Amino acid sequence: MPSSFHTKTIEQLLDPVAQQVSELVVLHEKGEDGAAMPNLQRPITVVNAAVQNLAAVGNQQIETTKDVVLKLDTPPALAKLSAASFLLVDAMNLLTSDAYSKGGREKLISGARGILQGVSDVLLIFDEAEVRRICMACSNVRDYLSVSEVVQGMPDLVTYVKNITPGMTNMTKMVSQRATDLTNQVHADKLEDCIKSLREQLPNFISSIKLVVSTVEDIGGKAHQAASTNRLYYVTNIADVITEMIRYLQMLSSDQDMQTDPMNLTQLNQTKDSLDKNLIAGKGWLADSNASADSMDKLALMQALDAAKEIACQAGDHHLADEANTLAMKVERLAQLRKEGKGNSPEARRLQQEIARDLEQLQRKVDQAVAHLNQYGDAYDVITKEMPKAKEWLVDPNAKPGVNTGSESISKMTGVIRNLAKTLPADRISNKERAEMMTMCNEVDTMMDRLNNYRENGQGQSDEARQLSKQIGDKLSQLNGKVSKILTRHMTPQTLEAKLEKARRWLDNPGQDDEKQGLICTRNIIGEARKIAQSVQDDQTREAITNKAAECERLCNELDQLVKAGQGDSPKAKAIGQDLKENLEILRDMMKKAMVGVVADEFAEPTFALKQLNAAALAPLTNPNREERFEERAQLFERQASRLAKLGAQAVAQSKYGAEEKLKQVELTTKKINDLTAQVVTAGRIVLLHPENTLAKQHFKALQDEWSENMDRLTEQVDDTVDVADFLRSSEKGICKEKERCVKAMDATDAVQAINSAGNIIKRAERVVTAGKREMENTDDPKYVSELKTSLMKLNGMLPALVNVTRGYAQTRGQDKQAQDAVTKKVDDVMYAVSGIRTTVEARLIEQEMMNLPPPPPPPPAEEDDLPPPLPPLPQEEQAPPRPPLPAEEEEQFPDYEEDSAQNKVRDQAMMKAAKELHDETKKWESQGNNIIAAAKKMAILMAKMSSLVGNSHGKKSDLISCAKEIAKASAEVTKLAKEVANKCTDKRIRADMLKTLERIPTISTQLRILSTVKAASLGDHNEMSKENEDAALQATELLVHNAQNLMMSVKDTVKYAEAASIRIRTDAGVKMRWVRRTS
């Protein structure tokens, strides 16, 4: 039943029914406690009226629809619903005659459960029919893509475009409407991303067909092959996007474990490539006894070992991670010996040999781990690819089994799942999970044999066959969820803040068993710091980051040794933990600032290599070595595209707010860039071979535009996540360095170097202008916008002047002193203007921080010696003694785990953990004077209470329903207060992200209330329930827990956003909320 919550429409229809049913459940409980049952005519009449309306709609659907499955599924569902309605009517009659009737109470609770289940089933049947309709439209468009292969001329192309355009338009419209109605934001966002991707790709898909048509006469030649490859890329890519849409359309809210792909094989293999590359340099450092201890090659070796740890953690192989860490300690010891001038000592030579031997063994083990991870990832890809096809086949009662059908897809899926169950190592899968997966695969195979027999004999529409189809579909979804859950078991967070949060929890309590997640995240942060250090151009910054990373690693290793020795709770371990936590915070800040510098350097001109590739492709035929020159430019373009894509993801992963969502968007962008890079090169090669082909040039231009749009999007995504003040400081520093190079080159009469440096200054200044404009667009503060606009106009007006004087200097070939002075003066003007922009932004930040400072402490009391003598008391009549002050209202405390154990209190641990994490977040702030913190803290305590009600099978129904209502009320309060803050926030990005988070809370709290009613209806009644109702209750409990986790996470994010938004509210906005960090 609860699986039907995946649309807002169903939720809106089910919520009033659930509210009426909750009243009946509470009344039933009172009756069980001995109270006389009141007159139930009003609530039961309301429920029956809703049932009758739904039945009327269902019968009308049966008469008008062409959907065979809808015609078959609706009547039995309506019959069950009517039966539940009759139970309620019988209960009403029995309890009217006898207010204490036991039979009446039993029929009342059974009817209440049946109504919720029946309404949900009918709504889900209607919804499934809608999904089938949309999926059919998607399948038709996907199937028509392959027709492009037979298009041989322009008339064929015109016909093809006329046919595919309406279908594509209709499909995207239907999917977009569906996405708007979904309650699961992950599914909705994924569908919207797919639609956006299709709209972007369609014009170039048509262009690729035109290009094939224009090279038909060259069949077998390089140009035609390249054009066909380009068209195939779009056919395959668009088909994959549509298949992905179908997969997400078929998902329900109960498919929670399938929302995130468990393995990123591309990232895994990139990590392995990085390891191999760094090992080559690292082994060179190892072999040279006289190599510097702080050289880049030594840093490369440490980074290779970091990559080995990362792969080991993904594989869940802690022994391999420990081996890599032990090797890293040996490398650090060898480096220390070399720094002391003892690189040729016996200890150093022994270490050198040990490290070389251990590196070879480590590399072999890492290769094996990567091979296994690729095997698991490939298996999951098979499941993901075949699932939509399998579900489409299962829902069609007339579909036959055979080759290239859904029945074959199901056979492939059970095959790879069975193989995973056999081959996954013991540290990744338990024996129970292994046995469950094997049993479920065997059950699916057995049911498929029966279903195939039914369908081969034309009996696919029989009740038995349709029941088998549903059971198989449910089993496949469960298997998919199990596989995804197992494969994500060792997945670490992708963002810096999420890693740091897990590390903090471990360091605050090193003795607590967290399955080494805190240790893994700590080492991951240290490894990420070394990656950034390798990208930094400034030697001083690189050395500072490397040294701080080494210090963190030393502390981490000390703490790990204490934990392994069983001393994680010792004072020494806790002291090291706090020291390491402080150093990690410092390292985090250093990483962010260094990353801003890398972004400012690398993204100064992201389309530079593309422009060079374009020039090489359009080079005249008379130019010597055209093709060799083009291949060189193509390699340069591919390297730059790959480097920027990696840096973009790396930079966004360090974002403070909403980093997970932003990283997902960046990963989509970088994937498009990486995919398009090869296509741009292919299109350029066609132009190189056929410079007279106008269509080839147009297609090449279109692909360049698409690539540039995605690169601009990546640049914007990166700029939006880096601190603008840090970016301006880094850009200013970069301009200063370029000025030094420029002046030095002019003094040495090196005109080429001087012109290049001046050009780099212009590019950096243009990036400053772009960043400044985005900052203007992102704020609603008119005063700040005016100041920033003035500074930007000043800088923008100086750039043409710098370009002109640089040209003048170039014309003199660096021989004119006046031209040199003119360049220097204009560069100084640009630097002054950039400094002005930075000052404007920094002043704004200081003003915002000052607004949120706590009030100053009261003045100290005067010394007794300085006080005047007391005045004598005035004569007065005898009065009553003063009223004693009211006792201070004590804040309700969060439940303690030790107290729970002492009282034998049973809680749902997943729900309790989510509540605890929210409570820990609210404890960072004083709740006095901050209603958001007070309301969020109340929600955490209420959720902790609900965890005990859900965990106790003999709890009171009314308590659970009441608790859910209180949580919904507190959710509405948090949403209301946070919206007031968001709407007054002058930072548009924070406001948009905050409002998007707030949109989820009402939906989740409504679902929580409905699910609590379902759970309450089954509390303590399992002996009297049917198997179907037991399964529905179990599913409701699982969804209730997941729903609670989502709600706590959303409120936790809201608290973080509200704090960030509060310091970006003008003092005259009328919002007064104090954010005072607690000191204890």
Side-chain angles (χ1 to χ4, degrees), residues 348-422:
R349 287 198 298 270
R350 177 181 58 79
L351 276 173
Q352 195 173 359
Q353 291 172 358
E354 284 181 12
I355 293 169
R357 183 189 66 241
D358 293 347
L359 274 177
E360 295 298 328
Q361 294 176 0
L362 181 73
Q363 196 167 8
R364 284 196 297 272
K365 291 180 180 180
V366 168
D367 287 343
Q368 291 174 357
V370 170
H372 288 146
L373 288 170
N374 274 305
Q375 179 186 344
Y376 306 150
D378 291 340
Y380 190 76
D381 285 345
V382 171
I383 298 170
T384 303
K385 179 182 176 183
E386 301 297 339
M387 181 65 83
K389 199 172 180 180
K391 287 194 172 182
E392 288 179 62
W393 183 83
L394 285 170
V395 299
D396 183 359
N398 299 319
K400 300 291 183 182
V403 180
N404 293 326
T405 67
S407 64
E408 185 180 58
S409 296
I410 293 170
S411 178
K412 288 180 182 177
M413 290 168 65
T414 55
V416 297
I417 293 172
R418 192 178 278 110
N419 188 54
L420 280 174
K422 291 178 182 177

Side-chain angles (χ1 to χ4, degrees), residues 61 85-86 190 240 248-249 333 485 952 966:
Q61 285 272 48
S85 179
F86 291 147
K190 188 66 179 180
D240 288 345
Y248 276 90
L249 285 166
R333 175 58 186 158
K485 187 176 180 180
N952 183 5
E966 287 185 62

Side-chain angles (χ1 to χ4, degrees), residues 54-75:
L54 189 58
V57 173
N59 290 321
Q60 185 180 1
Q61 285 272 48
I62 295 171
E63 293 175 3
T64 58
T65 186
K66 295 180 181 179
D67 189 324
V68 176
V69 179
L70 182 61
K71 284 180 178 288
L72 294 170
D73 286 348
T74 305

